[in-house]
Amino acid sequence: MPVGTTGTVRPFCRAPVFSVGGCGYDAFMGRRVAPLTLDNLQDLPRRCRSCVFWELDPVSAGAAAKAGTVEREKEAWISAVLLEWGSCGRVVYVDAVPVGFVMYAPPAYVPRAMAFSTSPVSPDAVQLITSWIEPGYQGQGLGRVLVQTVAKDLLRRGFRAIEAFGDARWRGPACLLPADHLLAVGFKTVRPHPVNPRLRLELRSTLSWKEDVELALDRLLGGARKEPALRPL
């Protein structure tokens, strides 16, 4: 095992997953999960880099599209969340190739969240904004890997759950995740709706006993850094 790394066996793979500087590395498949920053924003699919459905209210999003500044607005949003709240996404790589990502933030940073009839997100939860796995890598457990990585990050920061607005009539890639996918990775419906149910995942339910102990020790020893206070609505 490399010096300065820790290895644990996850339920979704048979090989050690090392943590180095906040990144997870699966030695068996060459999988690595890294925090989303402005430096690797270009590793997201182009259509996602040029979409501000969640990040701006409808009027501002329309104005950005008309002015051709959508990608700049996306960068500004990520920069602001990183500075004010902290990590808000993860990118998963297989053999150094970006194959998927997830984004999340408190609902105070997600203007579009209040547009849904199943709003608001619970006060003890962070919103799962969106996620994507490239078609050639779907069905390999990478979606669950991302959810578990997000869960560990948010538990260290004192949150209990993550919630998302699902699409019960999903037909293809869009800004909302299919409700069936969310259910498959452990979410439960807390606000039913024929089109856009709100679903919730209790974060501690995603961890194994060993990970739970590691997390408790990490917090006890002061391993988790204090995060900035949430921006008021």
Side-chain angles (χ1 to χ4, degrees):
M1 184 180 300
V3 176
T5 66
T6 59
T8 59
V9 179
R10 310 293 189 204
F12 49 79
C13 69
R14 292 173 292 171
V17 177
F18 303 113
S19 177
V20 184
C23 300
Y25 181 75
D26 177 349
F28 183 71
M29 289 186 61
R31 296 189 301 200
R32 179 173 65 93
V33 180
L36 174 65
T37 67
L38 294 178
D39 293 333
N40 63 357
L41 178 59
Q42 72 276 3
D43 290 341
L44 271 58
R46 177 63 183 270
R47 66 179 181 279
C48 300
R49 298 199 309 271
S50 59
C51 175
V52 287
F53 175 85
W54 291 106
E55 293 86 351
L56 299 178
D57 63 80
V59 174
S60 299
K66 186 176 181 179
T69 60
V70 172
E71 291 194 26
R72 188 162 52 193
E73 292 288 350
K74 186 87 166 191
E75 291 183 6
W77 183 88
I78 291 175
S79 178
V81 177
L82 287 171
L83 287 171
E84 298 175 18
W85 183 67
S87 181
C88 60
R90 291 291 188 273
V91 183
V92 60
Y93 300 84
V94 175
D95 295 330
V97 178
V99 300
F101 76 97
V102 63
M103 291 180 64
Y104 51 97
Y109 290 92
V110 191
R112 183 79 65 159
M114 293 306 297
F116 293 87
S117 58
T118 48
S119 292
V121 170
S122 302
D124 64 344
V126 167
Q127 183 180 341
L128 175 64
I129 299 173
T130 192
S131 183
W132 172 252
I133 299 293
E134 291 293 335
Y137 295 88
Q138 294 175 9
Q140 300 180 20
L142 293 176
R144 191 175 296 274
V145 170
L146 286 174
V147 169
Q148 289 177 317
T149 303
V150 172
K152 291 190 73 172
D153 174 43
L154 294 179
L155 279 168
R156 287 193 176 97
R157 295 158 74 174
F159 292 95
R160 294 179 53 192
I162 190 164
E163 296 187 359
F165 298 100
D167 185 350
R169 301 177 180 177
W170 192 84
R171 294 292 182 270
C175 297
L176 274 75
L177 293 171
D180 287 346
H181 167 75
L182 293 168
L183 292 169
V185 296
F187 282 75
K188 306 294 183 185
T189 302
V190 292
R191 187 76 184 275
H193 190 271
V195 180
N196 298 132
R198 178 161 53 89
L199 301 97
R200 177 181 175 95
L201 178 68
E202 299 294 338
L203 296 177
R204 198 164 292 278
S205 69
T206 66
L207 302 183
S208 67
W209 175 84
K210 188 174 187 295
E211 290 171 318
D212 208 12
V213 172
E214 288 176 346
L215 179 64
L217 288 173
D218 186 38
R219 298 184 70 175
L220 179 65
L221 297 174
R225 67 185 180 87
K226 184 178 179 181
E227 296 292 342
L230 299 187
R231 180 173 61 183
L233 286 168

